[in-house]
Amino acid sequence: MKVSKETAIAELKKIVGEDRVITDPEVLKNADVLNRSYAKAFGVYATPPALCVVNAKDTEEVSKVLSYCNDQLISVIPRTGASGGEALLETVNDTTVFLDGSLMNGILKIDEDNMMVTARCGTPLRVIEETVNSKGYTTGHAPQSLPMADIGGLVATRSIGQFSTYYGGIEDLICGMEGVLPNGHIFRIRNVPRRSSGPDLRHILMGSEGGLGFITEVTMKLFPYHPEDRWYGGYKMKNMHEGFKALRAIITAGYKPSVVRLYDKTDMDYNFGSVQMEDEEAFMFFVCEGPAGVVKATGDAIHEIALAHGGNYIGTEAVKHWMIHRNDLCNSYSGDQRYVKFRETQTMYSTTEISASWTDIVKIYDDVIANVPQKCEHLVMLGGHVSHSYINGTNIYFVYRIKMPNPEEADAIHTQVVHAICEEVLKYETGGCVHHHGMGKRRVQMAPKEHGTSYELMKIMKKAYDPNGIMNPGVLVMQEEK
Ligand SMILES: Cc1cc2nc3c(=O)[nH]c(=O)nc-3n(C[C@H](O)[C@H](O)[C@H](O)COP(=O)(O)OP(=O)(O)OC[C@H]3O[C@@H](n4cnc5c(N)ncnc54)[C@H](O)[C@@H]3O)c2cc1C
């Protein structure tokens, strides 16, 4: 940083106005509210406090703030809903500005002729979805964090929703966007249906984790919304292996249910508890949506394939229970409920999402369940579920609980578990250790192995778009390699 902290704050106040530069220490301590939350519950704040939070109200302000910070070598962490994990929002120095886009909130246009909705970066996805639902449409994007996340952050983390097997991840749902580069340059990627020239520019800020620029506006696709025509089906499977086989058979035959999930007993018991299962059993379930004829054909085929793979049909009740309660976890993030629970149980819950081919995923599931507890003595629960499937493979959300010896060590112990899972995944040719939460600073050490020889492309990209390294330092590429 070239100027003093006082000068930087004064200059930022000149750009956006006195009231939108926040320096209150309590606000700064919690600018990254969800990360290291176990330690925070005990009053331990280990990351450097930010310089300030700047609440931008429009694209021009974002441009001016970025341009100033770029010139003065001030770190900037873009933020919208603040629901990102993986240490995405953690500061690495005390001269960091949180550039918050929450005030850039609102739907700009719903284009029913061309099935598109345009919203500013700080618009909660819940608002977008409920607004278009009322007109008979859906964005098709339904991450569990729907009640918490905004569209800017969802694009920046390349997020994925619970209905992804039918609609796709956010990369399949974005038409165009407006954004700002660290030097203040404002750009717009127009909403053309397809373009064949060069790499897809939408993908530069998609998944960029705030490390390359700032997304100010997003246009998403719309789909017809027919919740009344949905098909539900739930099956107990002999074990996870049989579940994987059945899922593979359904997806590779070309069927596209919207929800495709397979839970082991540990995960099901902890998160939903709505199905009685024996130790080895798995619970596999589906939701189909779309035009009624497609729904029926898809549901019928799934049922036939599931039974042929030994599935024990248990009806729709547990699936509907999941549909109702699928986002309840978000409620536990409001107020200080989580902190109270941490203090009472001295245990934290977390997840690590990975993906692999149909062949490798089975081995990865077995390896993680067998090996990770041996490497991580503080682990007290480890299970997992499948939630997003593709023609060439699927994902697993590993879920776990860690008994913490003390708050000071909590972050290191959590990271140890995450890395242990990632190491098991990266032993396999098709194993990917970052399915949809972003790598953040927690997993960036895995980036060279995750990307292999293409890691060089990431480093070049970071240097090209953010030559001064001001944007969310520590994501995408390891700091010493930027
Ligand atoms: C209970 C829970 C459930 C979750 N479920 C899912 C799920 O089902 N699917 C899923 O994909 N994720 C899920 N997540 C993760 C998280 O919600 C997503 O990563 C989400 O995309 C973050 O959006 P946000 O607006 O909260 O972004 P933030 O947390 O504010 O930011 C996330 C990242 O994006 C960057 N960023 C934010 N805004 C911008 C911007 N305008 N321009 C450029 N960069 C920006 C930040 O710098 C940061 O690196 C879950 C999280 C929680 C807590």
Side-chain angles (χ1 to χ4, degrees):
M1 177 155 139
K2 290 184 188 168
V3 288
S4 70
K5 290 182 180 179
E6 293 70 27
T7 304
I9 289 168
E11 290 302 319
L12 289 165
K13 283 183 175 172
K14 278 190 206 158
I15 297 173
V16 298
E18 188 101 7
D19 56 330
R20 285 190 284 111
V21 177
I22 317 295
T23 52
D24 175 349
E26 279 308 306
V27 173
L28 301 184
K29 263 168 46 178
N30 290 302
D32 170 21
V33 65
L34 293 193
N35 290 282
R36 297 194 194 225
S37 45
Y38 183 87
K40 285 176 189 159
F42 294 85
V44 175
Y45 291 83
T47 48
L51 184 65
C52 59
V53 174
V54 172
N55 290 306
K57 74 168 179 2
D58 58 30
T59 304
E60 282 66 36
E61 282 189 358
V62 169
S63 166
K64 285 181 188 158
V65 170
L66 286 182
S67 170
Y68 175 73
C69 292
N70 194 42
D71 288 345
Q72 302 305 331
L73 305 181
I74 298 169
S75 300
V76 176
I77 300 185
R79 186 183 75 175
T80 51
S83 72
E86 309 307 330
L88 279 162
L89 294 172
E90 275 185 15
T91 51
V92 294
N93 62 54
D94 66 356
T95 54
T96 300
V97 171
F98 273 94
L99 184 52
D100 189 285
S102 312
L103 294 181
M104 297 170 71
N105 173 353
I107 295 177
L108 298 172
K109 187 176 178 186
I110 297 178
D111 178 350
E112 296 186 56
D113 281 342
N114 301 299
M115 304 294 275
M116 293 189 279
V117 55
T118 301
R120 302 176 81 205
C121 63
T123 316
L125 177 62
R126 182 181 47 76
V127 170
I128 303 176
E129 184 59 19
E130 286 174 3
T131 306
V132 301
N133 283 173
S134 70
K135 294 177 177 293
Y137 304 108
T138 176
T139 61
H141 200 50
Q144 186 182 43
S145 54
L146 186 135
M148 304 165 80
D150 297 344
I151 193 61
L154 288 158
V155 173
T157 50
R158 194 181 283 266
S159 63
I160 199 162
Q162 291 147 335
F163 305 143
S164 69
T165 308
Y166 185 71
Y167 297 104
I170 203 143
E171 66 275 21
D172 304 301
L173 305 174
I174 297 302
C175 309
M177 66 178 76
E178 182 194 72
V180 186
L181 293 180
N183 65 7
H185 176 74
I186 300 170
F187 64 89
R188 176 172 292 281
I189 301 171
R190 295 184 300 116
N191 302 322
V192 304
R194 186 173 189 272
R195 194 181 262 125
S196 74
S197 165
D200 190 334
L201 298 178
R202 292 171 298 186
H203 287 251
I204 290 167
L205 290 198
M206 210 185 295
S208 59
E209 303 183 10
L212 300 177
F214 195 100
I215 298 155
T216 49
E217 183 188 303
V218 175
T219 299
M220 299 178 81
K221 295 175 189 170
L222 291 176
F223 302 88
Y225 184 52
H226 299 290
E228 66 288 353
D229 290 335
R230 282 179 179 148
W231 179 95
Y232 305 89
Y235 306 83
K236 274 201 225 176
M237 305 302 290
K238 190 175 160 207
N239 51 40
M240 287 293 278
H241 285 205
E242 295 307 310
F244 285 124
K245 278 188 209 156
L247 289 187
R248 184 193 167 278
I250 289 162
I251 302 299
T252 59
Y255 296 105
K256 284 187 176 287
S258 55
V259 176
V260 176
R261 291 178 97 99
L262 175 70
Y263 280 76
D264 67 13
K265 179 175 163 53
T266 308
D267 190 341
M268 193 68 202
D269 282 355
Y270 185 75
N271 280 306
F272 294 99
S274 50
V275 183
Q276 294 303 313
M277 285 153 66
E278 299 299 324
D279 275 355
E280 289 298 307
E281 279 184 334
F283 178 48
M284 176 176 83
F285 64 91
F286 305 89
V287 179
C288 303
E289 58 190 309
V294 174
V295 169
K296 180 170 181 349
T298 309
D300 287 350
I302 286 173
H303 189 64
E304 198 176 304
I305 298 172
L307 295 186
H309 281 77
N312 171 14
Y313 179 65
I314 60 162
T316 60
E317 202 180 322
V319 190
K320 289 183 177 164
H321 177 274
W322 177 85
M323 278 294 278
I324 293 165
H325 296 287
R326 65 201 157 98
N327 299 336
D328 284 0
L329 183 63
C330 297
N331 302 335
S332 66
Y333 286 83
S334 68
D336 65 351
Q337 282 184 57
R338 284 177 85 221
Y339 287 6
V340 171
K341 203 169 170 193
F342 288 149
R343 288 193 292 264
E344 275 171 12
T345 63
Q346 303 193 4
T347 305
M348 77 169 277
Y349 169 84
S350 192
T351 63
T352 296
E353 16 66 64
I354 63 93
S355 70
S357 67
W358 291 110
T359 312
D360 288 341
I361 201 81
V362 185
K363 298 180 231 166
I364 287 172
Y365 175 77
D366 288 349
D367 287 0
V368 168
I369 298 293
N371 300 338
V372 171
Q374 294 182 23
K375 292 184 193 166
C376 306
E377 55 170 325
H378 301 289
L379 210 53
V380 290
M381 181 201 105
L382 174 64
H385 67 264
V386 167
S387 47
H388 308 279
S389 287
Y390 313 90
I391 195 91
N392 57 331
T394 190
N395 88 308
I396 295 181
Y397 241 114
F398 286 106
V399 306
Y400 42 87
R401 298 179 74 222
I402 307 170
K403 184 89 185 166
M404 292 300 180
N406 58 62
E408 287 76 16
E409 281 181 278
D411 189 62
I413 292 171
H414 180 195
T415 303
Q416 183 202 16
V417 175
V418 174
H419 286 197
I421 293 173
C422 294
E423 294 287 358
E424 295 295 333
V425 174
L426 291 169
K427 285 191 323 207
Y428 290 93
E429 194 188 332
T430 69
C433 75
V434 51
H435 181 261
H436 64 263
H437 283 167
M439 272 194 158
K441 289 140 209 160
R442 190 169 311 286
R443 288 189 277 193
V444 74
Q445 299 83 348
M446 299 289 149
K449 216 164 172 184
E450 170 71 29
H451 296 297
T453 48
S454 62
Y455 183 47
E456 188 62 19
L457 308 188
M458 195 69 86
K459 290 198 276 182
I460 291 170
M461 195 147 72
K462 175 71 180 168
K463 225 173 220 150
Y465 288 101
D466 181 23
N468 292 340
I470 64 156
M471 299 301 293
N472 204 357
V475 300
L476 302 180
V477 293
M478 289 194 292
Q479 274 220 281
E480 62 276 20
E481 292 191 308
K482 71 177 187 290

